[in-house]
Amino acid sequence: MVSLTITTRGGEHLGMTAFGDPSADRLVLLCHPTPGAALDPEPVVTDRWGVQVVTVDRPGYGVSETVPEDRDWTIIDHARDLAEWVRAMERTADRISNARLDRYGVVGWGTGALLAAAVAAVDEKVDRLALVDPPAPARARRLAEAAVGAPGRVALGIDDATADLERHLGLGGRVDRMLEEAAMQGDVGVQHDARLFGDDAWLDQLRGLRAATRIWAGSETPWIEEQDARFWVDRIPGAEAVRVRDSGPLTIASAWSRILEHVAPNHGSVAEQLRDSGTVRLADVDPVEPERG
């Protein structure tokens, strides 16, 4: 992983982490849940895919600076900051990537789906969008408020019985490291999320979203219900939903190869012989079926 900071238009510094193949022609922006920070859902898959994945920690998480409470800073403001950063990468000599950024994909995990959708709504360069276990906005704010003071695993609905932990070697440790990083400033990031997700003025912009959108919903994910996925399907033109059976709050790991197939098709145009062929790719263990109804 490569860790740097980026500067928003308002002058705040946000922590950024990149993983995957820095020579890939395809960039994917991953928006984390509440609480959360950078997480590679399945390194064995990511390293061989032909993609570079970037996570930018929201204010108050990791080393990301907070936004003053008296500043009117919305989800759309944050989305435009991220879109401008991608454009800056395209205009300047690359520091972490050789990717051609005429188009890129975005993934939103949990509450990060709100920011991911906002980025796709404001930036026409986003051609593919994946929302993983996305709560509807009203539920996202309640989840953030409930996460204040709660242990990270509890806030994400993860316990020792979470089946995804057994299916993916090292996932529990990666999740714990993510949560440790997320909590570097205590509950500041979670509190900021609760304020950020109270903004719903931007939702009308979803009607004009043109990115090919797919929604993954784990059948055992505790923080969403069927109507949450339906909220996004009803508002994003052409959006499709798939249900991941026997998967819970870590659906992003169980469905990661399928998510990459959507947001970074054709392995980022990196030929098989140029990808990391020395690493054995784990077989998919979760069945995914179309959402009915």
Side-chain angles (χ1 to χ4, degrees), residues 43-68:
V44 172
V45 174
T46 308
D47 289 347
R48 293 194 64 240
W49 197 267
V51 66
Q52 180 160 209
V53 182
V54 172
T55 293
V56 177
D57 297 340
R58 291 192 294 276
Y61 289 109
V63 300
S64 291
E65 296 177 346
T66 59
V67 176

Side-chain angles (χ1 to χ4, degrees), residues 20-97:
D21 185 351
S23 66
D25 289 338
R26 184 67 173 179
L27 176 73
V28 169
L29 184 65
L30 173 59
C31 301
H32 63 73
T34 302
L39 174 77
D40 187 341
E42 185 52 271
V44 172
V45 174
T46 308
D47 289 347
R48 293 194 64 240
W49 197 267
V51 66
Q52 180 160 209
V53 182
V54 172
T55 293
V56 177
D57 297 340
R58 291 192 294 276
Y61 289 109
V63 300
S64 291
E65 296 177 346
T66 59
V67 176
E69 291 189 27
D70 59 356
R71 180 179 161 200
D72 185 19
W73 195 70
T74 66
I75 289 178
I76 290 296
D77 290 325
H78 194 359
R80 287 174 176 155
D81 283 334
L82 295 179
E84 176 57 34
W85 172 74
V86 173
R87 283 180 163 79
M89 284 186 65
E90 184 179 23
R91 290 192 301 263
T92 61
D94 61 321
R95 295 172 61 192
I96 63 167
S97 172

Side-chain angles (χ1 to χ4, degrees), residues 71-239:
R71 180 179 161 200
D72 185 19
W73 195 70
T74 66
I75 289 178
I76 290 296
D77 290 325
H78 194 359
R80 287 174 176 155
D81 283 334
L82 295 179
E84 176 57 34
W85 172 74
V86 173
R87 283 180 163 79
M89 284 186 65
E90 184 179 23
R91 290 192 301 263
T92 61
D94 61 321
R95 295 172 61 192
I96 63 167
S97 172
N98 294 318
R100 297 193 302 268
L101 303 180
D102 53 324
R103 293 288 186 270
Y104 64 101
V106 183
V107 177
W109 172 24
T111 59
L114 276 68
L115 180 57
V119 173
V122 302
D123 193 357
E124 61 186 12
K125 288 180 176 291
V126 178
D127 60 355
R128 289 177 175 264
L129 171 66
L131 305 180
V132 186
D133 288 332
R139 191 187 302 274
R141 182 175 186 178
R142 294 196 299 271
L143 288 170
E145 291 172 342
V148 176
R153 281 199 173 199
V154 173
L156 291 178
I158 299 170
D159 58 32
D160 291 339
T162 299
D164 301 296
L165 293 176
E166 298 181 1
R167 295 171 178 159
H168 300 274
L169 183 66
L171 179 58
R174 295 196 302 277
V175 168
D176 288 340
R177 288 191 294 274
M178 175 194 77
L179 292 171
E180 288 175 3
E181 181 179 344
M184 286 175 60
Q185 301 179 59
D187 279 335
V188 175
V190 174
Q191 293 169 353
H192 178 271
D193 276 354
R195 296 194 303 273
L196 188 67
F197 299 150
D199 167 34
D200 61 5
W202 65 280
L203 294 175
D204 286 344
Q205 298 191 42
L206 293 175
R207 303 291 185 186
L209 198 155
R210 293 293 177 262
T213 302
R214 186 163 295 173
I215 298 162
W216 278 263
S219 62
E220 306 301 322
T221 302
W223 69 65
I224 61 168
E225 298 177 6
E226 183 177 349
Q227 58 264 36
D228 291 282
R230 180 57 54 187
F231 174 92
W232 299 102
V233 169
D234 288 346
R235 286 163 177 77
I236 299 177

